[in-house]
Coordinates of all heavy atoms in Angstrom, one line a residue:
D191 N 7.0 -8.0 -1.2 CA 8.1 -7.6 -0.2 C 8.7 -6.3 -0.5 O 8.9 -5.4 0.4 CB 9.2 -8.7 -0.2 CG 8.8 -9.9 0.7 OD1 8.1 -9.7 1.7 OD2 9.3 -11.0 0.3
E192 N 9.0 -6.1 -1.8 CA 9.7 -4.8 -2.2 C 8.7 -3.6 -2.0 O 9.1 -2.6 -1.5 CB 10.1 -4.9 -3.6 CG 11.2 -5.8 -3.9 CD 11.5 -6.1 -5.3 OE1 10.6 -6.0 -6.2 OE2 12.7 -6.5 -5.6
L193 N 7.4 -3.8 -2.3 CA 6.5 -2.7 -2.1 C 6.3 -2.4 -0.7 O 6.3 -1.2 -0.2 CB 5.1 -3.0 -2.8 CG 4.1 -1.9 -2.6 CD1 4.5 -0.6 -3.1 CD2 2.8 -2.4 -3.3
A194 N 6.3 -3.4 0.1 CA 6.1 -3.3 1.6 C 7.3 -2.5 2.2 O 7.1 -1.6 3.0 CB 6.0 -4.6 2.3
Q195 N 8.5 -2.8 1.7 CA 9.7 -2.1 2.2 C 9.7 -0.7 1.8 O 10.0 0.2 2.6 CB 11.0 -2.8 1.6 CG 11.3 -4.1 2.3 CD 12.5 -4.8 1.6 OE1 13.2 -4.2 0.8 NE2 12.8 -6.0 2.1
C196 N 9.2 -0.4 0.5 CA 9.1 1.0 0.1 C 8.2 1.8 0.9 O 8.4 3.0 1.2 CB 8.7 1.1 -1.4 SG 9.9 0.5 -2.6
L197 N 7.1 1.2 1.4 CA 6.1 1.8 2.1 C 6.3 1.8 3.7 O 5.6 2.4 4.4 CB 4.7 1.2 1.8 CG 4.2 1.4 0.4 CD1 3.0 0.5 0.2 CD2 3.9 2.9 0.1
G198 N 7.3 1.0 4.1 CA 7.6 0.8 5.5 C 6.6 0.0 6.3 O 6.3 0.4 7.4
I199 N 6.0 -1.0 5.6 CA 5.0 -1.8 6.2 C 5.3 -3.3 6.0 O 6.3 -3.6 5.4 CB 3.6 -1.5 5.6 CG1 3.6 -1.7 4.1 CG2 3.1 -0.1 6.0 CD1 2.2 -1.6 3.5
N200 N 4.5 -4.1 6.6 CA 4.7 -5.6 6.5 C 4.1 -6.1 5.2 O 3.1 -5.6 4.8 CB 4.0 -6.2 7.7 CG 4.3 -7.7 7.9 OD1 3.9 -8.5 7.1 ND2 5.1 -8.0 8.9
K201 N 4.7 -7.1 4.7 CA 4.2 -7.8 3.5 C 2.8 -8.3 3.6 O 2.0 -8.2 2.7 CB 5.1 -9.0 3.1 CG 4.6 -9.8 2.0 CD 5.5 -11.0 1.8 CE 4.9 -12.0 0.8 NZ 5.7 -13.2 0.5
R202 N 2.4 -8.7 4.8 CA 1.0 -9.2 5.1 C 0.0 -8.1 4.8 O -1.1 -8.3 4.4 CB 0.9 -9.7 6.5 CG 1.7 -10.9 6.9 CD 1.3 -12.2 6.2 NE -0.1 -12.5 6.3 CZ -0.8 -13.2 5.5 NH1 -0.2 -13.8 4.4 NH2 -2.1 -13.4 5.6
T203 N 0.4 -6.8 5.0 CA -0.5 -5.7 4.7 C -0.8 -5.6 3.3 O -2.0 -5.5 2.8 CB 0.1 -4.4 5.3 OG1 0.3 -4.5 6.6 CG2 -0.8 -3.2 5.0
I204 N 0.2 -5.8 2.4 CA 0.0 -5.8 1.0 C -0.9 -6.9 0.6 O -1.8 -6.7 -0.3 CB 1.4 -5.9 0.2 CG1 2.4 -4.8 0.7 CG2 1.2 -5.9 -1.3 CD1 2.0 -3.4 0.3
I205 N -0.6 -8.1 1.1 CA -1.4 -9.2 0.8 C -2.9 -9.0 1.2 O -3.8 -9.3 0.4 CB -0.9 -10.5 1.5 CG1 0.4 -10.9 0.9 CG2 -1.9 -11.6 1.4 CD1 1.2 -12.0 1.8
G206 N -3.1 -8.3 2.3 CA -4.5 -8.0 2.7 C -5.2 -7.1 1.8 O -6.3 -7.2 1.5
W207 N -4.4 -6.1 1.3 CA -5.0 -5.2 0.3 C -5.4 -5.9 -1.0 O -6.4 -5.7 -1.6 CB -4.0 -4.0 0.0 CG -3.7 -3.1 1.1 CD1 -4.4 -2.9 2.2 CD2 -2.6 -2.2 1.1 NE1 -3.8 -2.0 3.0 CE2 -2.7 -1.5 2.4 CE3 -1.5 -1.9 0.3 CZ2 -1.8 -0.6 2.7 CZ3 -0.6 -1.0 0.7 CH2 -0.7 -0.3 1.9
E208 N -4.4 -6.7 -1.5 CA -4.6 -7.3 -2.8 C -5.6 -8.5 -2.8 O -6.4 -8.7 -3.7 CB -3.3 -7.9 -3.3 CG -2.3 -6.8 -3.7 CD -1.0 -7.3 -4.3 OE1 -0.9 -8.6 -4.5 OE2 -0.2 -6.5 -4.6
R209 N -5.7 -9.2 -1.7 CA -6.6 -10.4 -1.6 C -7.8 -10.3 -0.8 O -8.8 -10.9 -1.1 CB -5.8 -11.6 -1.1 CG -4.7 -12.0 -2.0 CD -4.1 -13.3 -1.4 NE -2.8 -13.6 -2.2 CZ -1.9 -14.4 -1.7 NH1 -2.1 -15.0 -0.6 NH2 -0.8 -14.7 -2.5
D210 N -7.7 -9.5 0.3 CA -8.8 -9.5 1.3 C -9.7 -8.3 1.2 O -10.6 -8.2 2.1 CB -8.2 -9.7 2.7 CG -7.4 -10.9 2.9 OD1 -7.7 -11.9 2.2 OD2 -6.5 -10.9 3.8
G211 N -9.5 -7.4 0.3 CA -10.3 -6.3 0.2 C -10.1 -5.2 1.3 O -11.0 -4.4 1.6
R212 N -8.9 -5.2 1.9 CA -8.6 -4.3 2.9 C -8.1 -3.0 2.3 O -7.7 -3.0 1.1 CB -7.6 -4.8 3.9 CG -8.2 -6.0 4.7 CD -7.3 -6.5 5.7 NE -7.9 -7.6 6.4 CZ -7.3 -8.5 7.1 NH1 -6.0 -8.4 7.3 NH2 -7.9 -9.5 7.7
Y213 N -8.0 -1.9 3.1 CA -7.6 -0.6 2.6 C -6.5 0.0 3.5 O -6.5 -0.3 4.7 CB -8.7 0.4 2.5 CG -9.9 -0.1 1.6 CD1 -11.0 -0.6 2.2 CD2 -9.8 -0.2 0.3 CE1 -12.1 -1.1 1.5 CE2 -10.8 -0.6 -0.5 CZ -12.0 -1.1 0.1 OH -13.0 -1.6 -0.7
P214 N -5.7 0.9 3.0 CA -4.8 1.6 3.9 C -5.6 2.4 4.9 O -6.7 2.9 4.7 CB -4.0 2.5 3.0 CG -4.2 2.0 1.6 CD -5.5 1.2 1.6
R215 N -5.0 2.6 6.1 CA -5.7 3.3 7.2 C -5.4 4.8 7.2 O -6.1 5.5 7.9 CB -5.2 2.7 8.5 CG -5.7 1.3 8.7 CD -5.3 0.9 10.1 NE -5.7 -0.5 10.3 CZ -5.6 -1.2 11.3 NH1 -5.0 -0.7 12.4 NH2 -5.9 -2.5 11.4
S216 N -4.5 5.2 6.3 CA -4.2 6.7 6.3 C -4.1 7.2 4.9 O -3.7 6.5 4.0 CB -2.9 6.9 7.1 OG -1.8 6.5 6.3
I217 N -4.4 8.4 4.8 CA -4.3 9.1 3.5 C -2.8 9.2 3.1 O -2.4 9.2 1.9 CB -4.9 10.5 3.5 CG1 -5.1 11.1 2.1 CG2 -4.2 11.5 4.4 CD1 -6.0 10.4 1.3
E218 N -1.9 9.3 4.1 CA -0.5 9.4 3.9 C 0.0 8.1 3.1 O 0.9 8.2 2.2 CB 0.3 9.6 5.2 CG 0.1 10.9 5.8 CD -1.1 11.1 6.6 OE1 -1.8 10.1 6.9 OE2 -1.4 12.2 7.0
M219 N -0.5 7.0 3.5 CA -0.1 5.7 2.8 C -0.6 5.7 1.4 O 0.2 5.3 0.5 CB -0.7 4.5 3.5 CG -0.3 3.2 3.0 SD 1.5 2.9 3.1 CE 1.7 2.9 4.9
L220 N -1.8 6.2 1.1 CA -2.3 6.3 -0.3 C -1.4 7.3 -1.1 O -1.1 7.1 -2.2 CB -3.7 6.8 -0.3 CG -4.8 5.8 0.1 CD1 -6.1 6.4 0.3 CD2 -4.8 4.6 -0.8
E221 N -1.0 8.4 -0.4 CA -0.1 9.4 -1.1 C 1.2 8.8 -1.4 O 1.8 9.0 -2.5 CB 0.1 10.6 -0.2 CG -1.1 11.5 0.0 CD -1.0 12.5 1.0 OE1 -0.1 12.4 1.9 OE2 -1.8 13.5 1.0
K222 N 1.8 8.0 -0.5 CA 3.1 7.3 -0.8 C 2.9 6.4 -2.0 O 3.8 6.3 -2.9 CB 3.5 6.5 0.4 CG 4.1 7.3 1.5 CD 4.6 6.3 2.6 CE 5.0 7.0 3.9 NZ 5.4 6.0 4.9
M223 N 1.8 5.6 -2.0 CA 1.6 4.7 -3.1 C 1.4 5.4 -4.4 O 2.0 5.0 -5.5 CB 0.4 3.8 -2.8 CG 0.6 2.9 -1.6 SD -1.0 2.1 -1.1 CE -1.3 1.1 -2.5
A224 N 0.7 6.5 -4.4 CA 0.5 7.3 -5.6 C 1.9 7.8 -6.1 O 2.1 7.8 -7.4 CB -0.4 8.5 -5.4
D225 N 2.8 8.2 -5.2 CA 4.1 8.7 -5.6 C 4.9 7.6 -6.2 O 5.6 7.7 -7.2 CB 4.9 9.3 -4.4 CG 4.3 10.7 -4.0 OD1 3.6 11.3 -4.8 OD2 4.6 11.1 -2.9
I226 N 4.9 6.4 -5.6 CA 5.7 5.3 -6.1 C 5.2 4.8 -7.4 O 6.0 4.5 -8.3 CB 5.6 4.1 -5.1 CG1 6.3 4.4 -3.8 CG2 6.1 2.8 -5.7 CD1 6.1 3.5 -2.6
F227 N 3.9 4.8 -7.6 CA 3.4 4.3 -8.9 C 3.1 5.4 -9.9 O 2.7 5.1 -11.1 CB 2.0 3.6 -8.6 CG 2.2 2.3 -7.8 CD1 1.3 2.1 -6.8 CD2 3.1 1.4 -8.1 CE1 1.4 0.9 -6.0 CE2 3.2 0.2 -7.3 CZ 2.4 0.0 -6.3
H228 N 3.4 6.6 -9.6 CA 3.2 7.8 -10.5 C 1.8 7.8 -11.1 O 1.6 7.9 -12.3 CB 4.2 7.7 -11.6 CG 5.6 7.6 -11.2 ND1 6.3 8.6 -10.6 CD2 6.5 6.5 -11.2 CE1 7.5 8.2 -10.3 NE2 7.7 7.0 -10.6
V229 N 0.8 7.8 -10.1 CA -0.6 7.9 -10.5 C -1.2 8.9 -9.6 O -0.7 9.2 -8.5 CB -1.4 6.5 -10.3 CG1 -0.8 5.5 -11.3 CG2 -1.3 6.0 -8.9
P230 N -2.3 9.5 -10.0 CA -3.0 10.5 -9.2 C -3.6 9.8 -8.0 O -4.0 8.6 -8.0 CB -4.2 11.0 -10.0 CG -4.1 10.3 -11.3 CD -3.0 9.3 -11.3
L231 N -3.7 10.5 -6.9 CA -4.2 9.9 -5.6 C -5.7 9.5 -5.8 O -6.1 8.4 -5.3 CB -4.2 11.0 -4.5 CG -4.7 10.6 -3.2 CD1 -4.0 9.5 -2.6 CD2 -4.6 11.8 -2.2
T232 N -6.4 10.2 -6.7 CA -7.8 9.8 -6.9 C -7.9 8.4 -7.6 O -9.0 7.8 -7.4 CB -8.5 10.8 -7.8 OG1 -7.8 11.0 -9.0 CG2 -8.7 12.1 -7.0

């Protein structure tokens, strides 16, 4: 829930990424995640 709020998305989306093998649809989402987690985009 907290990660979803940080990213401005629904919790179900996070669940989909973690369990169902889905991926973000935009590079901007990956960039936000990289910033939150302090990791390189790659």
Side-chain angles (χ1 to χ4, degrees):
D191 279 326
E192 291 168 335
L193 179 57
Q195 286 177 4
C196 289
L197 295 171
I199 58 176
N200 190 290
K201 174 185 172 180
R202 296 291 311 153
T203 302
I204 305 294
I205 292 169
W207 294 344
E208 291 184 3
R209 294 186 188 162
D210 301 334
R212 295 183 182 164
Y213 304 104
R215 294 183 183 181
S216 72
I217 192 69
E218 290 83 10
M219 185 62 63
L220 288 171
E221 289 171 341
K222 284 183 188 178
M223 293 170 68
D225 287 343
I226 289 168
F227 295 135
H228 307 287
V229 297
L231 180 60
T232 54

